[in-house]
Amino acid sequence: MNSLSHNKPWWALCIGLALAAAVPWIASDFIASVALGCLMYIALATSWSLFCGATRYLSLATSAFFGLGAYASATLLEVLPWPLVILCGAAIASAVAVLMGAAVLHLRGTYFAVLTFGMTELIRHAVTFVEKQVSGTVGRVLTVVPSNETVYLTVLAIAGAAIATALLVKRSRFGLALSGIGADEQRAQTLGVDTRRVKIAGFALTAAFAGAVGAAMAVRWTYIEPAAMFSPFIGFQTVLIAMIGGAASIGGPVAAAIVFSLLSETLRLQLPYGYMMVLGLLLILCVMYLPNGLASLWQRKKTGGARP
C-alpha cells in the first residue's frame, strides 16, 4: 500500500504525458495551440517552484532565461540539430543563472526580487544592443523551423522532465537542503549545508528548464524580438501561477497552469483585460486567505479526512 502511494505521482505523470502526447493528432490546431501554452507554463511554473517554492526566494528572472533560450534557438537552428538547439538554450540560460546567482543570491526578499528583475532588463537591453551591432536590426526572421508536432512533443518532454525533476529533488538530500534554506538559512548553515552552492545549483536548474522552453517556443513565431522574448509578462505570469497554485507543492502549479492557460485564451478574446484582473484578484485572495496557494485546500482536505 505504501509502495502504491509512493508511486502514485509517477503513475499520474506517465498517464498525463500519454494523454497529452495524443493531442496534436486527435484535436484541432486551436486546441493543440492551447495545450502547448499549458505545457509551456507547466514547465515554467514547476521549475520555478522547484527552487523558489522551497527556498522562498522570489525570482523575477524567468523571462531572462526564456529569452536567452529563444535567441539561442534562433541563432543555432540553422547549424545544429533540434535536440542540440534545446540543450544549448538550457545550457546558456543555466550558465547565466550561475553568474547571476553568484552576484545576487546573498540577498533575500524584495532586494533579490528587484535585482533579478533589473538583471532581466539589463540582459534584454544587452541582447538588443548586440543585435543592432551584428545584424543591424533588433529582431530575427526564422526561416528553418521544425514541424508543429515536433515543437509540441519537445515542450511536452520538457514539461514532463520538469515535473519528474521536481519529484526527484523533493525526495533527495538536495531538496532537503533547499527546504532547510527556506525554513531557516542560518540554521541550515550551522548543520553543515553549503547554502551558497545549493542556492546557485537550484537557481541554475530552474534556469535550464526556462531556457529549454524558450528555445522550443521561439520557433512558434516567424519573427522574434527582445521585447517579446524577454517580456516581463512571461515572468510575472509564471510567478502568479506558481504562487496561486501553491509554490511549495508540485501538483498545484501544474493544475494552476492548466486553468489559467484556458482562462487566458477565453478572456483574451472576449475581455482583453479581464484575464489580468482575474489573476490579480486571485493573487490577492490567496495572499490574504491561502498563503500556501490553492494546493493547501487539498492538503487540508486530506488532513481532515485522516482524523478520526
Side-chain angles (χ1 to χ4, degrees):
M1 189 70 177
N2 290 333
S3 176
L4 181 61
S5 177
H6 181 77
N7 293 324
K8 189 182 294 185
W10 294 103
W11 281 110
L13 175 59
C14 291
I15 293 171
L17 291 176
L19 293 175
V23 168
W25 287 271
I26 64 174
S28 66
D29 291 342
F30 174 76
I31 293 177
S33 178
V34 172
L36 180 64
C38 290
L39 293 172
M40 167 183 158
Y41 278 107
I42 285 173
L44 291 177
T46 301
S47 60
W48 186 90
S49 298
L50 188 155
F51 171 73
C52 297
T55 62
R56 300 183 183 179
Y57 275 76
L58 182 61
S59 170
L60 297 178
T62 300
S63 55
F65 305 137
F66 181 93
L68 286 170
Y71 266 86
S73 179
T75 304
L76 301 173
L77 196 58
E78 295 184 4
V79 296
L80 290 178
W82 179 243
L84 286 182
V85 170
I86 302 300
L87 290 176
C88 285
I92 291 171
S94 185
V96 171
V98 169
L99 297 176
M100 187 186 296
V104 302
L105 274 172
H106 62 284
L107 301 171
R108 292 200 69 135
T110 306
Y111 298 103
F112 177 75
V114 170
L115 274 176
T116 52
F117 180 74
M119 286 192 167
T120 299
E121 290 298 295
L122 177 63
I123 292 171
R124 179 172 71 86
H125 287 295
V127 170
T128 302
F129 175 78
V130 171
E131 284 291 280
K132 286 182 178 180
Q133 295 299 315
V134 173
S135 59
T137 179
V138 295
R140 288 176 179 263
V141 177
L142 304 181
T143 56
V144 179
V145 297
S147 66
N148 290 338
E149 290 79 12
T150 299
V151 175
Y152 180 91
L153 292 177
T154 301
V155 178
L156 175 63
I158 296 170
I163 297 172
T165 301
L167 289 170
L168 291 171
V169 166
K170 195 168 186 177
R171 297 170 180 173
S172 67
R173 294 183 63 182
F174 179 60
L176 290 175
L178 290 173
S179 298
I181 291 170
D184 190 333
E185 188 166 344
Q186 291 184 343
R187 186 179 180 185
Q189 286 179 325
T190 61
L191 292 175
V193 177
D194 188 344
T195 56
R196 179 177 174 81
R197 183 176 297 178
V198 169
K199 288 188 295 185
I200 292 176
F203 195 50
L205 184 59
T206 293
F209 283 106
V213 173
M217 292 298 294
V219 300
R220 291 289 292 170
W221 299 279
T222 55
Y223 177 81
I224 67 169
E225 59 181 358
M229 295 299 102
F230 293 90
S231 171
F233 177 79
I234 295 173
F236 286 134
Q237 180 154 297
T238 298
V239 174
L240 287 173
I241 287 173
M243 292 183 67
I244 291 172
S249 68
I250 297 175
V254 172
I258 295 172
V259 171
F260 289 114
S261 295
L262 295 175
L263 273 178
S264 172
E265 294 298 331
T266 303
L267 294 178
R268 279 180 187 173
L269 296 175
Q270 301 177 359
L271 299 170
Y273 299 102
Y275 175 60
M276 294 307 298
M277 291 173 64
V278 170
L279 272 184
L281 178 61
L282 283 175
L283 181 62
I284 292 171
L285 292 175
C286 281
V287 169
M288 292 176 63
Y289 302 107
L290 290 172
N292 294 322
L294 296 176
S296 61
L297 292 175
W298 172 251
Q299 292 170 353
R300 287 180 189 175
K301 183 179 178 180
K302 288 178 66 177
T303 303
R307 291 174 183 170

